Amino acid sequence: QLSLFLRTPEGDTLLPSPEDLPQGFPKAKEHHHRSLEALIEDALLKRPEIKRIETQIRHAQVESQLVQNQRMPAVDLTISGAQDFGISQSNLVNRSEFYAGVIIDMPVQQRVAEGKGIAAEANLSRLTADRQLAEDRVRNEIRDSVSAIKAAFKRIGLADQQRNLARQLEDGEKTKYGLGESNLMLVNLRELATGDASMTYADALNSYHRALADFRFSSGEFSHLSEDFPVEIWQNYASPVWMDIDPQDTIEYRSAREDDDERHEREADR
């Protein structure tokens, strides 16, 4: 499946040759991580789902404030002026007029506004709980992945010792067989034990790299793979609302259309 993502600069699929394959797993090494709390705090800043929920919470807070504002009285100040021109039929002197007034709109029945307010508060509470659940999930994933890395590294050490001892016993049994002190069945048993120990070592190494990949994913290291494309840009693209867009730099719906576009659409509908 990964070969689908290996392509030439022209976009064609590229089939890897045996020479392109790695010689084996990278050598395992003990990871001296920072403190667990520091890893968790760093992961909470990098994980995109946390940023997405936080953006939704800010959006819900704005909606809640809007509903609260709609439940308040509306006060409008109006100012206007007028000036007569010409001579009226009554031959009165022309005059200028100035009007100033205050309009107070007092909502009486607020059932719709109250319903929207309750819905906004419920949505905000739900998003807050979702954020807490997501943060707890990240904390558990970091703890589990760190524990898995440590356990897998210790398992590699024990499996390597077992493999070396099995090889020594196999070599000793072959030496005894050459001296006539053993038989072919015992040699085959030692060879099988060496094979089993090698399989155990390979399985431990596989578990280590899987745990390391889980840690990198949990800590948010896979969210950005290039310094030219930092994590903040990835999180901004993943956000449901782009807060850094300038409204003056966008095309409005009506002004972006022309009469020919509307006519073509109507003709297509017919």
Side-chain angles (χ1 to χ4, degrees):
Q1 296 294 330
L2 292 178
S3 63
L4 296 175
F5 302 95
L6 182 61
R7 297 180 179 270
T8 62
E10 291 76 18
D12 300 328
T13 56
L14 181 62
L15 183 63
S17 61
E19 291 76 13
D20 298 328
L21 297 177
Q23 298 298 324
F25 281 114
K27 187 177 180 180
K29 59 181 180 179
E30 187 175 4
H31 286 259
H32 298 283
H33 298 290
R34 295 173 294 169
S35 65
L36 193 60
E37 293 300 326
L39 292 174
I40 292 175
E41 292 298 329
D42 191 32
L44 292 177
L45 294 176
K46 289 182 178 180
R47 291 287 288 264
E49 64 268 28
I50 304 296
K51 291 293 184 180
R52 175 179 58 84
I53 297 177
E54 290 178 351
T55 303
Q56 292 177 347
I57 288 177
R58 291 195 297 268
H59 181 69
Q61 289 174 346
V62 172
E63 288 186 348
S64 178
Q65 294 174 0
L66 176 61
V67 172
Q68 295 295 332
N69 186 55
Q70 291 176 347
R71 298 171 64 180
M72 297 180 181
V75 180
D76 297 326
L77 175 63
T78 61
I79 299 176
S80 62
Q83 183 178 6
D84 296 337
F85 293 92
I87 299 182
S88 63
Q89 295 180 358
S90 59
N91 296 325
L92 297 177
V93 180
N94 295 336
R95 62 179 182 174
S96 299
E97 297 180 352
F98 178 79
Y99 300 95
V102 177
I103 300 176
I104 300 177
D105 186 5
M106 179 69 70
V108 179
Q109 294 184 353
Q110 299 182 350
R111 290 179 297 178
V112 175
E114 290 179 356
K116 291 182 178 180
I118 295 174
E121 292 296 333
N123 186 36
L124 185 59
S125 300
R126 179 185 62 83
L127 291 174
T128 303
D130 290 344
R131 181 179 61 181
Q132 183 64 39
L133 178 61
E135 291 178 352
D136 293 341
R137 184 180 293 113
V138 170
R139 292 186 179 93
N140 290 337
E141 290 178 356
I142 292 294
R143 294 189 182 98
D144 291 343
S145 59
V146 170
S147 299
I149 290 176
K150 293 180 179 179
F153 184 78
K154 292 180 180 179
R155 183 183 173 191
I156 288 176
L158 295 176
D160 188 41
Q161 293 179 4
Q162 180 183 1
R163 183 182 59 172
N164 293 332
L165 292 175
R167 287 176 178 176
Q168 293 178 8
L169 290 176
E170 179 185 352
D171 294 338
E173 197 68 38
K174 288 181 179 179
T175 302
K176 290 176 60 178
Y177 179 76
L179 297 175
E181 296 294 333
S182 182
N183 54 58
L184 189 60
M185 184 184 68
L186 294 177
V187 172
N188 290 335
L189 290 176
R190 295 300 183 185
E191 290 176 347
L192 290 175
T194 303
D196 292 340
S198 299
M199 290 294 296
T200 302
Y201 176 80
D203 183 64
L205 194 60
N206 179 46
S207 300
Y208 169 82
H209 287 287
R210 289 175 64 91
L212 186 60
D214 291 340
F215 170 76
R216 290 177 177 175
F217 173 79
S218 301
S219 60
E221 291 184 10
F222 284 164
S223 61
H224 66 296
L225 302 178
S226 174
E227 295 297 334
D228 298 331
F229 220 71
V231 62
E232 291 78 10
I233 298 181
W234 282 106
Q235 292 173 345
N236 186 28
Y237 286 168
S239 174
V241 180
W242 293 350
M243 305 299 295
D244 58 345
I245 297 298
D246 184 7
Q248 304 298 327
D249 195 24
T250 59
I251 299 178
E252 297 183 357
Y253 172 74
R254 292 299 181 185
S255 61
R257 290 181 173 270
E258 297 181 355
D259 295 337
D260 293 339
D261 297 336
E262 297 290 342
R263 179 170 53 81
H264 292 324
E265 288 185 359
R266 288 194 294 269
E267 290 178 356
D269 293 339
R270 290 197 296 268

